[in-house]
Amino acid sequence: MNNKAVVLGNNYYIGLSTMRCLGREGIHTVAVDYSYENTYGAESKYCSERVIAPHYRKEKEQFIAFLKEYSRKQTAKPVLIPCHDSYVEVIDEYLDELKEFYLIPQTEQGLYTKTMDKDELHKLAVEHGVAVPETVHLGEENFYEKIEENIKFPCLVKPTDSPTFVSIFRRKLFKVNNRQELDEALQKAKDANQEVIVQRIIPGFDDHMYTFDAYLNQEAKVTHWMTCQKYRQYPINFGASVYTGQKYVPELYEIGSKFLEAIGFKGFVEIEFKKDSETGQYYLIELNVRITNLNSMLYKVGLNFPYITYRELTGNPLPPKAIEYDTNLVFWYAYEDFYAIKGYLKTGQLTMSQVMKSFLKPKAYAIWDWKDPKPAFSYAGIISKKLLKKIKK
């Protein structure tokens, strides 16, 4: 196979797991970053090549020019795999140009961005009959009345553009408990030039969060899928998965596949749902349109999504497959999970007994791999430096 796999973003374990998924299948992997600093994913033995590109945001046009030039030097079109939302946004903006140089699953320019945008996703879900949390937009008539009567406090102030919001505030959203906190949050967003929406909190602990992970082929049909249940996330209650298990939930396939096929999505995607603890209804929360945190577990359970993507785009698709039983396997990102556990215990949401019992499950680690230990040691070095800085302060 002459097609290389170009992996964008290796300073996080998503890039690392993607590299491993492809490298184990003998694919030539290329780690692309704007700096050598903290790119521990590229330390993997499955990384075949490492290149430094212009910054995807600060030097956007130069970055696109770099990607094109790199492709021109290859004997076959590389497969392009972004491992961070910011890379996805840039690829989507230049999708029509980049498809001349790279194999990319999505064919409709703007669809990636549309489904990442919370406001646009909300409209799409309503249009296709998928339940979403009740939402109020800034500028609506009787704005505060709607919040107090329909949304109620506490509620969430969420960005429409998550990657930019997170880069500014280092958090995914603001949780507000009253009118004053709401006004303060809206002012912070306004000062940062961030568009936000106000949304109802669906009742239920973090284990009421579920995911539908799927691959849709070039005919926009789901060919591979599985479902998962979150147990812990960080920051707690409104964060990213740090301890999540594979769990077969057929209802999520019914909702998720119908919606994704209706909007013409292609490639890998993860839908996050929350199950209402009072009604049992599943609400669509967000879409992740690139390889996600759970990738090492998805691979271990039997769905190698980066390779599934690669095989279809290079003209040799793998047969359809779904995980329709429970494996008891969990994904574990130990470093952030320790902080999460501290938060759950402090707020009384979990007991130490519940935490200790959860660790009995077999695990797929975010970073550690006995057969590929170098990235973990590199990551440990990065964390040690951060801790030393804190101690010095």
Side-chain angles (χ1 to χ4, degrees):
M1 289 176 281
N2 294 325
N3 307 82
K4 294 180 179 181
V6 173
V7 180
L8 304 178
N10 298 274
N11 60 348
Y12 198 51
Y13 58 81
I14 295 175
L16 169 62
S17 66
T18 299
M19 204 93 63
R20 285 171 172 165
C21 281
L22 294 164
R24 289 176 184 130
E25 299 295 337
I27 308 302
H28 182 108
T29 59
V30 185
V32 176
D33 290 282
Y34 57 86
S35 167
Y36 286 111
E37 190 178 2
N38 297 340
T39 54
Y40 61 89
E43 300 289 341
S44 171
K45 71 177 185 180
Y46 298 107
C47 177
S48 314
E49 189 180 339
R50 196 172 182 177
V51 295
I52 298 299
H55 196 284
Y56 58 86
R57 187 175 281 163
K58 296 174 184 175
E59 305 166 290
K60 196 187 296 183
E61 290 184 5
Q62 294 95 315
F63 172 67
I64 297 300
F66 174 89
L67 289 180
K68 290 178 181 178
E69 187 57 32
Y70 181 84
S71 176
R72 287 190 187 101
K73 295 174 183 175
Q74 309 310 313
T75 56
K77 270 188 183 183
V79 175
L80 191 61
I81 303 179
C83 293
H84 189 279
D85 288 340
S86 295
Y87 280 113
V88 175
E89 289 179 331
V90 176
I91 289 172
D92 198 29
E93 185 179 345
Y94 293 87
L95 185 64
D96 291 342
E97 289 180 46
L98 287 173
K99 283 192 79 70
E100 294 179 30
F101 299 87
Y102 288 88
L103 298 173
I104 304 168
Q106 198 56 261
T107 55
E108 181 188 332
Q109 187 164 19
L111 188 57
Y112 277 143
T113 308
K114 197 174 185 180
T115 49
M116 287 168 68
D117 184 295
K118 299 290 190 298
D119 200 18
E120 292 296 329
L121 178 62
H122 186 277
K123 292 173 187 173
L124 277 175
V126 170
E127 183 184 328
H128 292 281
V130 178
V132 283
E134 291 82 345
T135 301
V136 177
H137 300 81
L138 269 69
E140 278 190 37
E141 284 186 25
N142 305 315
F143 176 74
Y144 290 105
E145 288 85 345
K146 286 178 180 176
I147 290 170
E148 288 170 5
E149 292 172 16
N150 304 327
I151 305 292
K152 302 189 187 310
F153 291 107
C155 60
L156 306 176
V157 176
K158 298 176 75 171
T160 57
D161 177 8
S162 287
T164 307
F165 187 92
V166 171
S167 69
I168 296 169
F169 295 107
R170 311 308 301 170
R171 58 201 297 184
K172 294 176 74 174
L173 49 79
F174 296 125
K175 181 184 177 184
V176 297
N177 298 292
N178 50 53
R179 170 77 178 265
Q180 184 182 339
E181 289 183 12
L182 172 62
D183 286 339
E184 288 171 0
L186 294 177
Q187 189 60 49
K188 283 180 185 177
K190 185 180 179 182
D191 292 343
N193 199 30
Q194 291 298 295
E195 188 179 333
V196 292
I197 55 178
V198 182
Q199 214 166 66
R200 179 171 79 93
I201 297 175
I202 304 301
F205 178 59
D206 290 0
D207 62 1
H208 282 62
M209 293 292 299
Y210 293 82
T211 69
F212 172 65
D213 295 84
Y215 185 82
L216 289 91
N217 64 15
Q218 290 300 290
E219 296 174 357
K221 297 294 179 187
V222 172
T223 56
H224 300 76
W225 65 274
M226 65 180 282
T227 54
C228 306
Q229 179 182 10
K230 285 190 183 185
Y231 298 120
R232 297 191 289 273
Q233 46 190 359
Y234 184 77
I236 64 171
N237 307 137
F238 304 103
S241 296
V242 292
Y243 202 76
T244 295
Q246 179 273 328
K247 177 77 173 174
Y248 175 50
V249 187
E251 300 100 304
L252 298 184
Y253 169 75
E254 297 302 324
I255 303 167
S257 62
K258 185 180 176 183
F259 174 66
L260 293 170
E261 290 177 359
I263 65 173
F265 199 92
K266 297 174 185 176
F268 173 78
V269 60
E270 179 183 89
I271 304 181
E272 287 197 19
F273 290 94
K274 186 165 187 182
K275 184 180 183 180
D276 190 314
S277 61
E278 296 171 4
T279 66
Q281 184 171 19
Y282 289 98
Y283 287 83
L284 186 153
I285 303 298
E286 67 177 3
L287 260 65
N288 293 310
V289 297
R290 38 84 190 144
I291 302 301
T292 66
N293 302 44
L294 308 180
N295 191 50
S296 60
M297 180 187 66
L298 306 184
Y299 168 80
K300 206 167 181 179
V301 168
L303 289 179
N304 185 341
F305 282 108
Y307 189 54
I308 291 165
T309 305
Y310 182 93
R311 283 284 296 265
E312 197 213 359
L313 295 181
T314 54
N316 189 18
L318 291 167
K321 184 178 180 180
I323 308 300
E324 298 176 279
Y325 53 90
D326 291 337
T327 63
N328 205 35
L329 189 72
V330 296
F331 160 81
W332 190 31
Y333 180 28
Y335 176 66
E336 286 195 349
D337 189 33
F338 287 133
Y339 286 104
I341 290 168
K342 184 180 176 183
Y344 288 121
L345 294 175
K346 187 178 180 181
T347 55
Q349 295 180 60
L350 285 176
T351 64
M352 183 57 78
S353 173
Q354 288 172 315
V355 171
M356 297 310 294
K357 189 178 178 182
S358 74
F359 283 128
L360 297 175
K361 296 175 183 288
K363 299 171 187 67
Y365 301 101
I367 298 171
W368 177 252
D369 187 323
W370 286 102
K371 295 179 180 178
D372 185 29
K374 195 175 177 183
F377 292 129
S378 178
Y379 181 71
I382 294 166
I383 296 302
S384 298
K385 285 178 184 176
K386 285 183 179 178
L387 293 175
L388 281 172
K389 278 185 180 179
K390 282 186 180 180
I391 292 167
K392 284 179 181 178
K393 284 182 180 179

